[in-house]
Amino acid sequence: MSIPVILDVDTGVDDALAILFAVRHPDIDVLGITCVAGNAPLAQVVDNTLRVLDAAEAPEIPVAAGAVRPLLEPPRSASHVHGADGLGGVALPPTTRRAEPVGAVELMRRLLLEHDEPVTLVALAPQTNLALLLRTYPEVGSRIERIVFMGGSASVGNATAVAEFNVWHDPEAAAIVLDAGVPCYMYGLDVFNHVAIERDVATILEHGDDRLGRVVGALLGHRIALSEDESAEYTGLIGDAGAICAIVDPGALRTQVRPVRVELAGYGRGQTLVDLRRFPGEDVVHGLADEWAEVEIALEVDAERMSRLFLTTLGLGAGADATADAAATAAADLEVER
Ligand code: RIB
Ligand code: CA
């Protein structure tokens, strides 16, 4: 089973992990990657994406630059999370790969029309490119199997108390995508925040013999500048990579199809409102419930199963087992010596 996908990214530490996973997983066929401003400015996102493809020893995969900013909002990069370079300071070698001479919307349209079966769009970033595609060429909707997006939340926010970064960064774009009539799968913070690699494993990978393991370990170990407490800085989240894992192993998640809309006004701007009620309320009874999109929402995840899938796909599963055991032995030895 090979699933054709187009990735839309704002590479980004966790976008990098997602690209590495997608390129390496045998059931994923990456037709192309489109870039958008988000975690970092667009030019940096493109350069990071090309370098990550080198790190993955990926075949030639077309990469195109898209929107330099959201539809309405100014660009607001997440350098406090992903660092000034967007890759958490993980220095990947310069690349000879080059972006396509066409823009993201044109590349997505070409790949969707050329492919012999519908393609899964995987949005791991603000959805500006997808909104522009669907507004410019609405007819490509029939060529899209579904949109799997990392974004939103049925609970806690991150960019604000209630809004997740990708949707908050370009809420109009997210609203346009949900309104386009294409089946959507939301891999939001409800699951995104729970899939992490243990700090010991990341540290040992970073200093191990495996070249890719060193890159993955360094990316996992990047520090979030905001927190004051040193121990709080390590997250180890596989982040966007989880959305790709959800495509190849949907059984690792519990989902529900629920009404969703994007709040566009007030402090809640960028929040994904997810209707989890068992019964309709007065809004429905009195005809006040306007258009909501029916979206498959990932609500729970088997984090250990997904972390294992991530590491084994990158050829790091055995290493992680061995390294974790080695870490435990080393720690025990140290305890003995003290
Ligand atoms: O909220 C997390 C999302 O925002 C991830 O996709 C991360 O890469 C940033 O784009
Ligand atoms: Ca991202």
Side-chain angles (χ1 to χ4, degrees):
M1 154 186 91
S2 178
I3 304 167
V5 304
I6 297 169
L7 307 182
D8 192 72
V9 299
D10 59 339
T11 312
V13 168
D14 58 330
D15 304 72
L17 294 172
I19 293 168
L20 293 172
F21 179 86
V23 164
R24 287 294 182 97
H25 197 283
D27 293 346
I28 296 284
D29 178 10
V30 180
L31 303 180
I33 302 179
T34 50
C35 300
V36 67
N39 287 326
L42 179 63
Q44 184 74 64
V45 169
V46 173
D47 185 50
N48 289 347
T49 300
L50 295 170
R51 291 181 187 228
V52 169
L53 286 174
D54 272 356
E57 296 177 340
E60 283 306 311
I61 294 173
V63 173
V68 298
R69 56 167 289 182
L71 298 179
L72 291 182
E73 297 288 350
R76 297 186 179 104
S77 68
S79 54
H80 60 291
V81 174
H82 296 265
D85 65 357
L87 285 180
V90 176
L92 297 180
T95 176
T96 57
R97 293 177 191 250
R98 291 289 173 264
E100 296 291 296
V102 296
V105 169
E106 296 310 320
L107 178 63
M108 284 194 277
R109 176 175 182 262
R110 187 183 86 202
L111 294 172
L112 287 170
L113 295 181
E114 283 175 355
H115 202 66
D116 57 3
E117 60 180 339
V119 175
T120 297
L121 286 190
V122 184
L124 305 176
Q127 298 176 23
T128 318
N129 289 340
L130 274 72
L132 291 169
L133 169 74
L134 293 165
R135 281 285 197 261
T136 309
Y137 302 110
E139 67 277 10
V140 303
S142 63
R143 304 299 302 150
I144 302 172
E145 176 70 22
R146 63 174 178 159
I147 295 170
V148 175
F149 68 93
M150 189 283 125
S153 172
S155 53
V156 68
N158 58 6
T160 74
V162 294
E164 178 279 327
F165 176 83
N166 287 333
V167 175
W168 171 83
H169 197 91
D170 196 341
E172 281 71 26
I176 288 169
V177 169
L178 288 184
D179 185 48
V182 176
C184 285
Y185 180 104
M186 181 172 118
Y187 184 88
L189 295 182
D190 313 282
V191 290
F192 175 99
N193 283 343
H194 299 287
V195 188
I197 304 301
E198 287 174 23
R199 187 172 184 166
D200 287 353
V201 174
T203 303
I204 290 169
L205 288 175
E206 184 176 2
H207 301 290
D209 298 332
D210 184 290
R211 181 195 55 78
L212 183 61
R214 288 196 297 274
V215 173
V216 171
L219 289 168
L220 288 168
H222 86 284
R223 294 296 185 253
I224 292 180
L226 270 187
S227 60
E228 298 305 320
D229 174 352
E230 165 70 17
S231 63
E233 285 181 344
Y234 176 83
T235 68
L237 292 176
I238 70 171
D240 288 331
I244 318 285
C245 293
I247 294 172
V248 298
D249 185 18
L253 300 104
R254 180 177 72 83
T255 67
Q256 287 185 19
V257 177
R258 287 289 177 176
V260 178
R261 59 171 289 149
V262 178
E263 188 59 83
L264 297 177
Y267 183 79
R269 176 167 164 77
Q271 180 181 11
T272 47
L273 304 179
V274 178
D275 190 346
L276 294 170
R277 291 175 293 180
R278 290 183 58 205
F279 306 106
E282 275 58 28
D283 56 346
V284 174
V285 170
H286 297 294
L288 303 174
D290 49 11
E291 286 305 302
W292 293 53
E294 292 293 316
V295 177
E296 184 175 8
I297 315 278
L299 291 169
E300 289 177 355
V301 61
D302 180 338
E304 198 283 328
R305 173 170 162 176
M306 188 172 276
S307 301
R308 175 64 49 201
L309 169 64
F310 173 77
L311 289 173
T312 50
T313 298
L314 293 174
L316 305 173
D321 280 341
T323 48
D325 294 344
T329 303
D333 291 348
L334 281 173
E335 284 302 314
V336 168
E337 287 171 13
R338 280 188 187 141

